Amino acid sequence: MKRFLPALWALPALLACAAGAAQAATWTVRPGEDVQAAIDRAAGGDTVLVQRGLYRANLLITKPLTLRGVGRPTLSGGNEGDTIRVESPDVTIEGLIVRDSGADLGAQNAGVYIRPGAHRAVVRDCDIAYALFGLWIEKADDVQVLRNNITGKRELNSSQRGNGVQLYNTNGARIEGNRIAFVRDALYVDVSHKAVFRANRLHHSRYGTHYMNSYHNLWEDNDSYHNRGGLALMEVRDQVVRNNRAWGNSDHGIMLRTMQDSVIENNVVAGNNRGFFIYDVEYIALTGNLVIDNRVGVHLSAGSTRNRVERNDFIGNREQVRYVGARDETWGREAGNHWSNYAGWDRDGDGRGDVPYEANDLVDRLVWRHPAVKLLLASPAVQALRLVSRQFPLLRVPSVVDPNPRMKPARPDWSEWRGKHFPG
């Protein structure tokens, strides 16, 4: 008989759990009915189902519940205020078309406004359209924004629009699988840490991502294209930026500004005005990236030094590196990088060049000033000029130097990324 006592002791707890589960109710809202009234009637833990239809609503959610669309109903804020405002933790919003927020930048009008303290909010599988800010998320931790399609108020000038997703003073956010376009910045991240940004497609905005004062974040497998800038990381440290694609942006692909202790690896940066813009950056690893067909492959300045730059492919950039510095900067000490305009040789066949590559030699400077010189790059006279300039220090300027560059690119798919330029 004693062996059954533990099960009997646990019975009250099991009954309490079952009672709690039984108490969770589902409320259904049909066209013509009031969504806010159903939310007000619901208890914590309940589900409000909204049937397919058009509902004029500015919703306020102050209790933990699930607001779920059936057949993708539309909630319109009537171009006033926030379409949905969340003030409780543990709220899930899914399967809805949320549109028509107000246009007051001072009030931060949003399709979905997640207020301070609304921790663990989930917004997934929604279309958020014609909203000033798609989602404004402030001082709320462990928020998930998953598989949403977010567009802004297209008729407004860029400076008058809000951002697609704005994170301010958050921890542990997951922003994954979203498509964001026609906003000011697709993702704006400030003072937000330990977040994951994965598999998002960010386009036709000012910046695909504008990232400031944020630490210990992962940026992975995202596409940023046809923006003014693809990815801008500023005043940050302890970032991992890998396997992303930034292409066809009218200014830069990836901007690294005032960054330390980060890993930037295996990204494709193609067809931008400037591939990488690197300013005041130290102690990062820049490895395995493909930098191709940009007007400037890398713009490097402001004491960006003590970085590990290895196994990158620099191919077909009109200007491989634009370097502003007082002394040579050595890249590729361990494994080297590939430079498509390297004119050296590999006598021992080890796959590494026998003479250093210099990014800013006399011939490069002539090409910058007189692009027609490119027609003569393979001529013996120009090659002789390149060699002579290395023998006379007065003719040199500080340069990025790769002691033994790689003779072949590491990425076999490099040619697929040609011609990815900004439209028009």
Side-chain angles (χ1 to χ4, degrees):
M1 183 66 180
K2 289 183 179 180
R3 63 181 176 177
F4 296 108
L5 288 177
L8 292 174
W9 293 340
L11 187 58
L14 292 173
L15 291 173
C17 291
Q23 289 172 2
T26 297
W27 305 82
T28 299
V29 183
R30 296 173 179 81
E33 297 178 348
D34 189 336
V35 181
Q36 184 66 59
I39 291 172
D40 294 342
R41 286 194 303 269
D46 286 358
T47 297
V48 176
L49 297 181
V50 183
Q51 296 287 340
R52 182 180 179 87
L54 173 62
Y55 301 82
R56 169 69 174 86
N58 297 95
L59 302 180
L60 177 62
I61 302 176
T62 59
K63 64 194 75 171
L65 55 73
T66 296
L67 180 65
R68 179 180 300 141
V70 179
R72 304 199 66 76
T74 298
L75 304 181
S76 172
N79 297 310
E80 297 177 358
D82 308 314
T83 306
I84 302 175
R85 176 170 286 219
V86 179
E87 295 187 350
S88 167
D90 301 303
V91 170
T92 296
I93 299 168
E94 60 186 3
L96 298 165
I97 299 173
V98 180
R99 57 173 299 138
D100 305 330
S101 80
D104 187 339
L105 283 170
Q108 302 155 183
N109 293 157
V112 179
Y113 197 130
I114 297 176
R115 295 280 294 163
H119 306 303
R120 299 175 298 280
V122 179
V123 180
R124 63 189 173 210
D125 301 315
C126 291
D127 289 333
I128 302 176
Y130 204 66
L132 188 66
F133 290 88
L135 287 100
W136 182 289
I137 303 167
E138 181 177 356
K139 297 180 182 177
D141 296 337
D142 302 312
V143 171
Q144 299 182 43
V145 180
L146 310 174
R147 303 181 301 276
N148 302 286
N149 188 16
I150 301 170
T151 54
K153 293 180 179 285
R154 298 191 188 195
E155 81 281 6
L156 298 179
N157 293 328
S158 177
S159 62
Q160 296 175 309
R161 299 174 185 174
N163 303 312
V165 175
Q166 172 125 359
L167 285 176
Y168 174 67
N169 202 358
T170 71
N171 283 283
R174 284 179 55 207
I175 314 296
E176 300 188 33
N178 302 283
R179 296 190 65 130
I180 308 175
F182 302 105
V183 291
R184 185 198 303 163
D185 298 334
L187 296 176
Y188 186 94
V189 183
D190 192 14
V191 199
S192 293
H193 316 303
K194 299 180 181 177
V196 174
F197 303 89
R198 181 182 288 122
N200 300 289
R201 294 176 64 84
L202 315 168
H203 58 98
H204 293 92
S205 301
R206 182 181 67 169
Y207 289 141
T209 294
H210 194 166
Y211 214 86
M212 300 179 67
N213 308 305
S214 301
Y215 312 129
H216 303 289
N217 293 321
L218 171 64
W219 179 264
E220 182 176 55
D221 193 30
N222 301 282
D223 286 272
S224 298
Y225 58 95
H226 296 176
N227 306 292
R228 193 173 87 188
L231 171 59
L233 298 168
M234 298 186 284
E235 306 283 348
V236 296
R237 65 174 185 266
D238 298 301
Q239 307 291 311
V240 176
V241 181
R242 67 186 177 208
N243 299 329
N244 302 288
R245 297 155 295 275
W247 49 274
N249 298 291
S250 64
D251 188 353
H252 64 266
I254 297 179
M255 174 195 291
L256 309 176
R257 179 166 181 164
T258 313
M259 168 187 276
Q260 297 85 33
D261 304 314
S262 297
V263 175
I264 316 297
E265 64 183 7
N266 301 330
N267 302 285
V268 175
V269 184
N272 308 284
N273 187 44
R274 294 178 291 182
F276 279 102
F277 177 68
I278 301 176
Y279 182 97
D280 185 27
V281 171
E282 295 182 301
Y283 305 110
I284 73 165
L286 189 75
T287 61
N289 301 285
L290 173 61
V291 185
I292 182 169
D293 204 16
N294 303 280
R295 185 177 294 273
V296 177
V298 179
H299 188 157
L300 181 71
S301 61
S304 296
T305 187
R306 292 182 286 275
N307 300 305
R308 181 173 172 267
V309 184
E310 302 285 349
R311 297 183 181 275
N312 302 286
D313 295 332
F314 299 96
I315 300 175
N317 302 292
R318 187 177 301 181
E319 184 180 339
Q320 296 279 47
V321 178
R322 180 175 295 173
Y323 175 56
V324 180
R327 59 178 63 88
D328 284 351
E329 184 67 25
T330 301
W331 288 358
R333 294 178 188 274
E334 302 168 20
N337 302 280
H338 174 72
W339 306 87
S340 62
N341 62 334
Y342 177 60
W345 51 84
D346 176 22
R347 287 199 181 100
D348 59 6
D350 67 350
R352 303 282 298 277
D354 297 336
V355 296
Y357 172 82
E358 294 188 12
N360 288 7
D361 66 9
L362 179 61
V363 173
D364 288 332
R365 283 181 282 143
L366 280 173
V367 170
W368 302 342
R369 295 182 181 180
H370 308 287
V373 172
K374 281 189 174 182
L375 298 173
L376 304 173
L377 282 181
S379 70
V382 170
Q383 295 305 314
L385 180 62
R386 193 184 292 272
L387 291 172
V388 167
S389 69
R390 290 174 183 162
Q391 307 305 313
F392 294 91
L394 289 176
L395 298 177
R396 286 188 82 250
V397 294
S399 176
V400 167
V401 178
D402 197 327
N404 299 106
R406 303 173 70 86
M407 300 300 291
K408 294 181 180 179
R411 292 185 64 123
D413 64 340
W414 63 267
S415 63
E416 299 174 12
W417 287 97
R418 286 188 176 276
K420 302 286 189 180
H421 300 116
F422 187 81

